[in-house]
């Protein structure tokens, strides 16, 4: 599809208008804000009366912040004026909006957004998919990490200095990331203290499917709070993910069992302290998932040590 404004729409992938689409037309501009007389009305406290403007001129889609109190963010960066490209994610208030390509939409399209979003002039297309998770009652932000990867979401929350507890559900697991003004200060998976917060945040940032919801701030206090910049945590998590993927061909599945090799030929005195600790965990617990969870080091360091033990035949898959 050619890069023409009439072939684009704003798709709400998180927030109270999640699932709605707002088609854009050539050589038009829309004003977004809380005021009821605007083109797109987002009724929430974090949205200014006149928050941002999107114009479609000469085949380009331009977004401009209108001096809003809480700012307009594109792909995690606070902007004043920038050209949008397909796939870009915009954060206004608690709504995450994605610029998507669509077929031409007539001006009398059936509205799909709540009445609070004015769409009688530009029209709103029916959403192409339903949210994977419905959250009842008031919510600040919710959506799918299939739609917006967790590292991208974390960058948006960090740059916009959001506070709260980001709850992520993937499969049967539930993780929580605690944030204070955009800074991650704690993380937990299933509330377990076996997995320390640094290991938990690295592991969760590798999840690629599931649902998220940003809940209100929690006043719990933790003995071990993280103090690294969120950007640094994200970069380290991505580095570790790349390294773990490289090791995957040599790793057993998390549900498999490990045992110490008998007879044990390898010399234990040649092992590092981390590798010796891992041998003890294999002896005590056996199952790969339990060994990895209880290891004091990150998943990457644990997997690296495990690969060495397997290759030296100190441990083997039962």
């Amino acid at each position: 599809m050619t890069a023409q404004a009439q072939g684009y729409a704003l798709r709400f992938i998180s927030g109270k208008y999640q699932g709605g689409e707002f088609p854009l037309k050539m050589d038009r501009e829309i004003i977004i804000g809380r005021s009821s007389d605007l083109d797109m009305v987002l009724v929430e406290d974090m949205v200014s009366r006149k928050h941002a403007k999107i114009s479609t001129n000469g085949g380009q889609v331009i977004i401009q912040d209108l001096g809003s109190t809480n700012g307009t963010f594109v792909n995690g960066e606070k902007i004043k004026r920038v050209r949008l490209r397909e796939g870009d994610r915009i954060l206004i208030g608690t709504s995450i909006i994605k610029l998507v390509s669509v077929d031409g939409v007539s001006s009398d399209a059936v509205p799909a957004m709540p009445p609070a979003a004015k769409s009688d002039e530009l029209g709103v297309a029916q959403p192409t998919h339903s949210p994977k998770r419905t959250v009842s009652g008031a919510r600040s932000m919710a959506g799918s990490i299939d739609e917006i990867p967790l590292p991208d979401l974390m960058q948006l929350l960090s740059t916009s200095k959001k506070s709260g507890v980001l709850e992520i559900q993937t499969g049967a697991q539930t993780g929580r990331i605690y944030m204070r003004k955009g800074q991650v200060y704690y993380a937990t998976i299933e509330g377990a203290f076996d997995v320390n917060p640094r290991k938990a945040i690295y592991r969760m940032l590798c999840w690629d499917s599931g649902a998220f919801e940003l809940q209100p701030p929690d006043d719990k206090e933790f003995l071990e709070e993280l103090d690294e910049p969120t950007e640094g945590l994200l970069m380290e998590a991505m580095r570790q993910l790349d390294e773990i993927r490289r090791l995957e061909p040599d790793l057993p599945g998390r549900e498999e069992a490990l045992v110490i090799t008998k007879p044990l030929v390898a010399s234990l005195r040649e092992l590092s302290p981390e590798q010796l600790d891992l041998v003890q965990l294999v002896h005590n617990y056996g199952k790969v998932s339990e060994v990895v969870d209880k290891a004091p080091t990150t998943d990457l360091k644990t997997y690296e040590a495990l690969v060495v033990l397997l290759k030296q035949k100190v441990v083997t898959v039962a």
Side-chain angles (χ1 to χ4, degrees):
M1 180 178 294
T2 58
Q4 296 179 348
Q6 66 265 32
Y8 286 117
L10 302 174
R11 175 179 295 164
F12 286 72
I13 60 176
S14 174
K16 65 193 295 184
Y17 307 111
Q18 182 184 349
E21 284 189 0
F22 197 109
L24 301 177
K25 289 187 175 183
M26 177 65 75
D27 299 325
R28 296 285 295 275
E29 70 176 31
I30 62 170
I31 305 296
I32 304 170
R34 201 174 68 246
S35 179
S36 60
D37 60 348
L38 302 182
D39 304 293
M40 182 187 290
V41 181
L42 303 181
V43 185
E44 56 173 290
D45 293 341
M46 293 187 66
V47 176
S48 297
R49 287 181 58 80
K50 288 188 177 181
H51 197 106
K53 176 175 70 175
I54 294 180
S55 55
T56 54
N57 298 312
Q60 295 186 351
V61 182
I62 306 293
I63 185 168
Q64 178 181 347
D65 184 77
L66 299 178
S68 64
T69 301
N70 293 299
T72 301
F73 299 82
V74 175
N75 299 329
E77 295 185 7
K78 192 173 186 178
I79 60 96
K80 291 184 178 179
R81 185 178 186 275
V82 70
R83 179 183 176 183
L84 294 175
R85 290 174 171 79
E86 182 182 355
D88 282 350
R89 297 180 178 91
I90 307 159
L91 176 65
I92 296 178
T94 61
S95 292
I96 301 176
I97 309 165
K98 184 177 181 180
L99 184 69
V100 298
S101 293
V102 294
D103 294 330
V105 180
S106 64
S107 60
D108 57 352
V110 179
M113 294 167 66
K118 181 180 178 182
S119 57
D120 56 334
E121 188 175 355
L122 294 180
V124 178
Q126 289 285 0
T128 57
H129 65 280
S130 299
K132 293 190 176 181
R133 181 182 179 209
T134 301
V135 182
S136 59
R139 66 181 184 183
S140 57
M141 183 182 294
S144 166
I145 59 176
D146 304 72
E147 185 76 60
I148 174 168
L150 199 50
D152 293 353
L153 175 62
M154 292 294 299
Q155 186 175 1
L156 283 172
L157 298 177
S158 174
T159 310
S160 55
K161 300 187 182 303
K162 290 285 192 293
S163 295
V165 181
L166 184 65
E167 182 176 288
I168 308 106
Q169 293 184 341
T170 180
Q173 288 189 299
T174 299
R176 291 179 177 84
I177 300 173
Y178 295 76
M179 304 190 72
R180 186 186 295 127
K181 294 183 178 180
Q183 172 66 43
V184 175
Y185 67 93
Y186 197 76
T188 180
I189 297 175
E190 299 295 339
F193 292 101
D194 285 346
V195 180
N196 66 55
R198 186 167 285 99
K199 180 188 289 192
I201 186 69
Y202 290 158
R203 188 178 295 182
M204 281 187 278
L205 286 168
C206 298
W207 293 351
D208 56 10
S209 65
F212 70 85
E213 179 186 0
L214 182 64
Q215 300 175 343
D218 195 313
D219 59 1
K220 287 180 182 176
E221 295 185 359
F222 302 99
L223 292 176
E224 183 183 357
E225 288 198 1
L226 301 172
D227 57 5
E228 300 165 53
T230 299
E231 186 67 26
L233 288 171
L234 293 173
M235 292 178 63
E236 177 60 16
M238 295 303 97
R239 183 192 73 82
Q240 292 199 19
L241 176 59
D242 289 341
E243 291 297 312
I244 289 172
R245 285 175 174 165
R246 182 180 60 82
L247 294 172
E248 278 178 350
D250 298 319
L251 292 172
R254 283 180 58 84
E255 299 306 308
E256 293 192 77
L258 298 171
V259 294
I260 297 173
T261 304
K262 293 181 180 180
L264 183 58
V265 178
S267 173
L268 293 179
R269 72 178 63 183
E270 295 179 2
L271 300 180
S272 69
E274 289 178 351
Q275 292 165 351
L276 285 171
D277 287 345
L278 200 56
V279 170
Q280 185 175 2
L281 289 171
V282 169
H283 174 72
N284 290 341
Y285 301 102
K287 191 175 179 181
V288 172
S289 60
E290 292 186 57
V291 169
V292 174
D293 285 351
K294 294 183 182 297
T297 54
T298 64
D299 286 351
L300 174 59
K301 286 187 175 296
T302 303
Y303 286 139
E304 287 175 336
L306 180 56
V307 167
V308 172
L309 295 178
L310 288 166
K311 288 184 175 180
Q312 293 184 357
K313 301 188 185 304
V314 176
V315 301
T316 187
V317 177

